[in-house]
Amino acid sequence: MGEHNFEITLEFVEELRGSRNLLAFSGGVDSSALYFLLKSYQIPFDVAIMNYGMRKQAALEVSYAQNLCLMDNKRCFVEYAPKIHNNFESNARKLRYDFFENLIMHFGYSHLILAHQLDLQGNKFAKNANVAQIQEDLH
């Protein structure tokens, strides 16, 4: 097997470098890759992770996020969701974005960075959302 080199670019690098950023982190492959990519671009950011308590590995994912942030001197915000009894996806999304919005408002973050289905070959791996966009998503 040959060695693969991927050219990875991040949109909005200069804008992100000059602002306060919050990374929505899950502990999965996509958000972990984005964490290290932002770090390599020297983009300042803190981390927010939501624990729904639904999977055994959730506590490990929170611990992973906390350890990364401790090593890199970043803030790690953890929210423990109440039990969701119905319509899990919709209710989880609302809780998650309420959590992000509260952090953005309280700490003055200007960007929320999300890693949804990271496509490394297509160079699509960061979604830039300002507070107004987050508020639109909630309605």
Side-chain angles (χ1 to χ4, degrees):
M1 295 275 152
E3 184 176 316
H4 296 283
N5 293 318
F6 293 101
E7 174 77 23
I8 299 176
T9 58
L10 183 63
E11 295 180 46
F12 314 111
V13 170
E14 293 308 316
E15 182 179 343
L16 294 174
R17 275 191 185 136
S19 60
R20 296 197 50 172
N21 305 292
L22 183 64
L23 173 63
F25 192 80
S26 68
V29 174
D30 293 350
S31 65
S32 295
L34 188 51
Y35 180 101
F36 290 107
L37 187 64
L38 292 168
K39 182 179 168 182
S40 74
Y41 274 89
Q42 299 178 336
I43 293 171
F45 65 96
D46 291 321
V47 168
I49 184 168
M50 177 71 91
N51 184 343
Y52 300 100
M54 300 289 292
R55 298 173 296 114
K56 289 180 182 178
Q57 67 266 33
L60 292 174
E61 293 161 347
V62 168
S63 179
Y64 174 57
Q66 290 171 324
N67 287 328
L68 281 176
C69 291
L70 180 64
M71 289 187 310
D72 292 332
N73 198 30
K74 299 185 180 307
R75 294 183 82 168
C76 183
F77 301 98
V78 180
E79 180 78 5
Y80 294 90
K83 185 168 177 93
I84 299 172
H85 298 284
N86 56 26
N87 201 3
F88 183 84
E89 288 298 321
S90 177
N91 288 319
R93 185 179 311 106
K94 171 113 175 63
L95 287 169
R96 188 169 54 249
Y97 279 92
D98 285 349
F99 172 48
F100 298 152
E101 185 177 18
N102 287 335
L103 291 172
I104 288 166
M105 296 299 196
H106 186 76
F107 294 101
Y109 293 104
S110 51
H111 297 93
L112 173 62
I113 304 171
L114 306 165
H116 289 291
Q117 298 172 346
L118 190 59
D119 177 1
L120 293 175
Q121 292 180 358
N123 293 327
K124 294 179 182 177
F125 50 97
K127 192 186 269 188
N128 177 19
N130 64 32
V131 174
Q133 289 170 313
I134 292 169
Q135 289 172 338
E136 285 178 14
D137 288 345
L138 293 173
H139 297 346

